[in-house]
Amino acid sequence: MSRNRADSILKFAGNHAFLAILIFLSCSGPEQKIQPEAVRGVLDLRHWDFEKDGPVELKGEWGFYWKQLLLPQVLQKRTEPAPDFIYAPDVWDDHQIDGREIGGQGHATYHLRVLFPALPGALAIRLNDQGSAYTMYLNSVSLVQNGIVGENAETERPLWLPRYASLSVENSADFVMQISNYFHRQGGLWRPAQIGTINQIQDIRDRGRIVESFLAGSLLIMGLYHLALFFYRKKDRAALWFGLLCLFITLRLLVTGERLLTGAFPLTGAEFFLKLEYLSFYLSLPLTILFLHALFPDIFYRPVLRGILVLSLFGSTTVLALPAHLYSYTIATFQAFAVIAGAYGCYILIRASFQGQQGARLILAGWIVLFSTVINDIVYNLFLIGPGFLAPAGLFIFIFAQAGALAHRIASAFNTSEELSVNLERKVAGRTQELQAEKNNLKDAMEKIELLAESRKKLSVVGQVAAGIVHDIKNPMATIRALAELTNTDLITKEKREANLNMIVREMDRLNDLAYEILDFSKGQLTLDLTEVNLREFIDEIAKFLKINFDYLKILYIQDLQYEGPVIIDKDRIRRVVINIAKNALEAMQDGKKEYSFTIRSEEKSGKVTLSLIDNGPGLPAALSDRIFDAFATEGKSKGVGLGLFMCKWIVDSHQGELTYRTKPDVGTTFFITLPLRLTHEVVYAI
């Protein structure tokens, strides 16, 4: 449905809803027979046909016995008329005895004789709550009891509930009611009792309970739904106030009328439920005003809003803090205040309607219905004039109108969101294409920059490698030449000659290892030549070479092989790894400051073998610890280009293994070479 179509429907509803409701309320159906009233304690129903004329109210002059709780047997023995008569239904507060008003609190007995037509049939009676406890007798039998009648506040137990009972009567019957009130500010037989056929009274009861249950259930669901809307969209305060308003009206429906909540928990006490009844009224008004303010904030006069909230809070606090016979005095004032606030709300909605604000006309129609039914209920409550209590129906119509207005606002917001979303998608699509084109251009530029950077990096690496190679080749060659010249003379001893020759061999090994490292690094890949070797034989072979150097520098060599079995490795490359790490340790332990040692240990676990290369030297420099396996990483060494450990890690990684270390200053360093026992042929590329 388009937005214009929805607006036209709401406009039509706002213009015609109230007129339709007035027509509905004015339709009274067939003309009803005027009900008779009791005169001096006697109600003549002999010409009343219950099947045709419907239920009748027991109203008129009842015999009245103030400050007396009399049983029917006592009244039946009396031949003289009652000493006093009082009109019921009405409160007894302003009734005068001996020229003085009796006030609201006290106890009394009501007596009414009813003359029935011949063969009246099966009848029943409905009694509303009275102020504030009563017992009704039919002839000499207790018929209905509400609470416990007492002669003072200590013995009385008030209870407000509608009661129903079947009647067994003949031509006449005596109705006697003992009523006491030490609870409320008003007392007496203030609501009419109705007599009709059993079906008629049951229809009244069932209709009331069904309507109230339906209204309460509908409003409860509506309230929870709008609270959920607020939970997911906390900016929408209108949904919050509307949801709370629905819950408070639901509560009021359950504690008035048929008083379903009181009937479910009758032992809770009248005080508790009366406070709920008052609070549900006192708090519904500010929630309604807050809801209207959330919808039309620009129209509200803020001092008026604050005044309504303050007075409502004051009334609610009075109800919570004071007993019923005191806070019940506030109801008349608050009813007048509610009428004034309702008129102001009507003014706000009229202004909003003239301004064409969304949903204002529909809410105005519901507001007028509610305002009219509330005034009707106030008049009926005070003077028993009108068709009865209509506020629950008015509330439902008002809530329904508000829900419709909120639904329209939400739908309009959703439509606007969809339109914005479509426009945004178009803009995003266009902008995405532009960004993609820019991205492609940037990607091309970055590729060119990366190519240039890679070229510069390669040139830089070549320069570093070349400088290192020149340095590392120059030093061993110079050493070899010097040692060869010294060895070729007859001036040195045999022992010195052997030492020089051993030194020449070591320098040649250095050149050989350097050649292998440079060759692998330049290729950028490793092709493993995997063979199965015995680990002990492999380590023993390496140890023969290492011991020459360690023995020469008087460094203790230790071998602790806990695993000596087979392992599949590239024998030459793993040998280079072990020797490289051992030579690094050897270079770090040449200062003679303490007795140094170097240990090779092997362990097997979970299909892997770990070689631990342990020295007790000075430990690794702190500046080197984070980049020890990087290419060209070196610190405090006069020899080497820094490819040794980089190549070692590369070789171990190519074996699907792991090379790690642990170091501590002045304690030593341990390198851990972890390799799988079985490995297939694989080519690993350098990163």
Side-chain angles (χ1 to χ4, degrees):
M1 182 184 293
S2 67
R3 184 180 302 176
N4 293 333
R5 177 63 174 165
D7 287 340
S8 64
I9 292 175
L10 289 174
K11 185 181 295 185
F12 177 84
N15 290 332
H16 298 87
F18 182 55
L19 178 60
I21 294 166
L22 288 179
I23 294 173
F24 171 77
L25 293 177
S26 64
C27 295
S28 57
E31 184 178 352
Q32 294 184 348
K33 186 176 180 180
I34 298 176
Q35 295 189 5
E37 293 189 1
V39 179
R40 297 189 65 79
V42 178
L43 177 61
D44 189 353
L45 298 179
R46 287 176 294 182
H47 301 289
W48 189 266
D49 186 344
F50 287 98
E51 294 289 347
K52 179 181 177 181
D53 302 328
V56 65
E57 294 180 351
L58 302 183
K59 61 181 180 179
E61 295 178 344
W62 288 59
F64 188 64
Y65 301 86
W66 179 243
K67 292 292 184 181
Q68 300 179 67
L69 297 177
L70 302 178
L71 293 173
Q73 296 86 338
V74 176
L75 295 175
Q76 289 172 359
K77 292 178 181 179
R78 292 188 178 185
T79 57
E80 70 279 5
D84 195 8
F85 293 93
I86 186 172
Y87 189 87
D90 199 359
V91 295
W92 64 34
D93 303 39
D94 54 358
H95 184 72
Q96 294 186 356
I97 296 179
D98 298 331
R100 298 178 60 184
E101 292 185 355
I102 63 177
Q105 295 194 343
H107 57 277
T109 301
Y110 287 73
H111 178 217
L112 179 68
R113 174 162 291 179
V114 180
L115 304 179
F116 288 98
L119 302 175
L123 301 179
I125 188 171
R126 179 185 188 274
L127 290 102
N128 285 297
D129 52 87
Q130 311 296 342
S132 290
Y134 69 84
T135 301
M136 172 173 271
Y137 296 88
L138 174 61
N139 295 324
S140 59
V141 179
S142 176
L143 184 65
V144 178
Q145 182 176 356
N146 223 5
I148 299 176
V149 178
E151 296 182 350
N152 51 56
E154 288 73 23
T155 57
E156 179 192 63
R157 182 184 171 189
L159 182 63
W160 291 5
L161 274 175
R163 295 294 191 182
Y164 301 86
S166 59
L167 301 179
S168 178
V169 297
E170 296 180 354
N171 294 332
S172 66
D174 288 303
F175 289 90
V176 177
M177 287 191 70
Q178 296 177 350
I179 300 181
S180 66
N181 176 55
Y182 295 95
F183 168 67
H184 199 264
R185 68 181 177 89
Q186 293 180 324
L189 203 164
W190 58 27
R191 293 284 183 268
Q194 287 181 297
I195 293 179
T197 65
I198 291 179
N199 289 336
Q200 290 170 348
I201 299 301
Q202 286 180 344
D203 287 344
I204 293 173
R205 180 195 63 189
D206 295 342
R207 185 166 56 249
R209 292 179 178 178
I210 290 172
V211 169
E212 290 177 10
S213 300
F214 169 74
L215 293 178
S218 301
L219 294 176
L220 177 62
I221 294 172
M222 202 175 297
L224 295 176
Y225 171 74
H226 284 87
L227 288 178
L229 286 180
F230 172 74
F231 177 80
Y232 289 106
R233 191 173 184 271
K234 292 184 171 55
K235 291 182 179 180
D236 188 5
R237 291 297 181 91
L240 170 64
W241 304 130
F242 183 70
L244 292 175
L245 176 62
C246 289
L247 296 185
F248 273 94
I249 294 176
T250 300
L251 177 62
R252 183 164 182 80
L253 285 170
L254 295 176
V255 296
T256 57
E258 290 296 316
R259 301 186 184 275
L260 300 176
L261 194 60
T262 308
F265 304 97
L267 300 179
T268 304
E271 179 75 52
F272 175 75
F273 290 110
L274 188 62
K275 285 184 183 293
L276 291 183
E277 180 179 342
Y278 274 63
L279 288 173
S280 63
F281 175 45
Y282 286 15
L283 293 176
S284 293
L285 177 62
L287 288 173
T288 305
I289 298 300
L290 285 170
F291 169 71
L292 294 179
H293 175 261
L295 291 179
F296 315 111
D298 298 334
I299 304 178
F300 259 84
Y301 187 50
R302 284 195 170 273
V304 175
L305 176 63
R306 294 192 189 98
I308 293 174
L309 296 180
V310 169
L311 290 176
S312 300
L313 181 61
F314 174 76
S316 302
T317 305
T318 302
V319 172
L320 292 173
L322 299 178
H325 70 275
L326 293 179
Y327 68 71
S328 57
Y329 280 99
T330 64
I331 186 65
T333 303
F334 201 84
Q335 285 173 342
F337 170 61
V339 171
I340 296 172
Y344 180 73
C346 191
Y347 162 74
I348 294 296
L349 288 170
I350 291 173
R351 284 192 59 188
S353 298
F354 276 110
Q355 293 178 5
Q357 296 205 32
Q358 196 176 66
R361 292 187 178 184
L362 185 58
I363 297 177
L364 176 61
W367 185 270
I368 293 175
V369 173
L370 174 63
F371 193 55
S372 302
T373 56
V374 168
I375 292 177
N376 168 82
D377 284 15
I378 293 174
V379 173
Y380 182 78
N381 184 63
L382 295 176
F383 309 108
L384 294 178
I385 299 174
F389 292 108
L390 298 177
L395 282 170
F396 182 76
I397 294 172
F398 172 64
I399 293 297
F400 190 78
Q402 292 184 84
L406 278 180
H408 180 242
R409 290 169 65 93
I410 293 172
S412 299
F414 183 74
N415 290 334
T416 303
S417 175
E418 283 186 332
E419 294 175 2
L420 292 175
S421 178
V422 171
N423 293 333
L424 181 60
E425 287 178 358
R426 292 173 181 170
K427 291 181 179 179
V428 168
R431 186 56 180 161
T432 301
Q433 292 178 354
E434 295 176 3
L435 291 175
Q436 186 63 40
E438 294 293 334
K439 179 183 176 182
N440 293 335
N441 294 335
L442 182 61
K443 183 178 180 181
D444 293 340
M446 289 297 297
E447 289 177 352
K448 293 178 181 178
I449 293 173
E450 288 176 357
L451 289 174
L452 292 174
E454 186 67 24
S455 298
R456 294 187 62 183
K457 182 178 178 181
K458 289 181 178 179
L459 290 174
S460 176
V461 170
V462 169
Q464 294 181 55
V465 172
I469 291 172
V470 170
H471 181 271
D472 273 19
I473 291 178
K474 181 180 178 181
N475 290 340
M477 291 298 293
T479 302
I480 291 171
R481 179 173 180 173
L483 291 173
E485 291 177 352
L486 290 174
T487 305
N488 197 30
T489 66
D490 297 330
L491 301 177
I492 60 174
T493 63
K494 181 180 180 181
E495 291 79 7
K496 187 64 175 176
R497 189 186 304 275
E498 291 178 357
N500 289 343
L501 290 174
N502 289 334
M503 184 68 70
I504 291 172
V505 171
R506 286 197 300 271
E507 292 300 319
M508 291 299 296
D509 288 337
R510 280 184 59 199
L511 290 174
N512 186 55
D513 290 341
L514 179 60
Y516 274 115
E517 289 177 3
I518 294 172
L519 182 61
D520 288 339
F521 185 77
S522 63
K523 289 180 180 179
Q525 69 177 39
L526 291 176
T527 302
L528 301 182
D529 183 14
L530 299 175
T531 57
E532 182 175 289
V533 299
N534 180 274
L535 187 61
R536 168 167 287 281
E537 295 175 357
F538 176 69
I539 297 299
D540 286 345
E541 181 182 342
I542 295 174
K544 291 178 182 178
F545 174 77
L546 294 178
K547 287 187 59 133
I548 297 173
N549 297 283
F550 285 120
D551 290 346
Y552 179 77
L553 296 174
K554 298 182 179 180
I555 296 174
L556 179 62
Y557 173 81
I558 302 172
Q559 191 167 296
D560 179 15
L561 302 182
Q562 299 180 18
Y563 176 77
E564 303 177 350
V567 58
I568 297 178
I569 57 175
D570 186 325
K571 180 178 178 181
D572 292 335
R573 285 192 168 91
I574 295 299
R575 177 179 180 275
R576 284 168 53 195
V577 171
V578 176
I579 292 176
N580 192 300
I581 295 174
K583 284 186 175 182
N584 287 341
L586 182 69
E587 292 178 5
M589 296 187 294
Q590 293 184 9
D591 55 11
K593 291 182 178 180
K594 63 178 182 180
E595 294 183 359
Y596 291 108
S597 65
F598 182 83
T599 302
I600 297 180
R601 179 178 298 149
S602 67
E603 296 174 306
E604 186 273 333
K605 184 178 181 181
S606 303
K608 295 182 178 181
V609 61
T610 299
L611 293 177
S612 302
L613 309 182
I614 309 166
D615 70 63
N616 63 344
L620 293 175
L624 193 61
S625 59
D626 293 335
R627 55 189 183 89
I628 189 171
F629 295 122
D630 293 347
F632 312 114
T634 182
E635 182 75 22
K637 292 176 62 176
S638 60
K639 301 177 182 180
V641 295
L643 288 176
L645 288 177
F646 171 78
M647 295 302 302
C648 288
K649 182 159 179 37
W650 190 13
I651 291 170
V652 174
D653 289 344
S654 68
H655 280 75
Q656 299 178 11
E658 186 177 12
L659 177 60
T660 58
Y661 74 96
R662 181 177 63 228
T663 186
K664 188 173 182 180
D666 299 326
V667 175
T669 302
T670 301
F671 280 86
F672 302 96
I673 305 171
T674 302
L675 301 168
L677 291 177
R678 305 194 65 81
L679 185 67
T680 58
H681 188 274
E682 184 176 354
V683 177
V684 180
Y685 292 86
I687 299 174

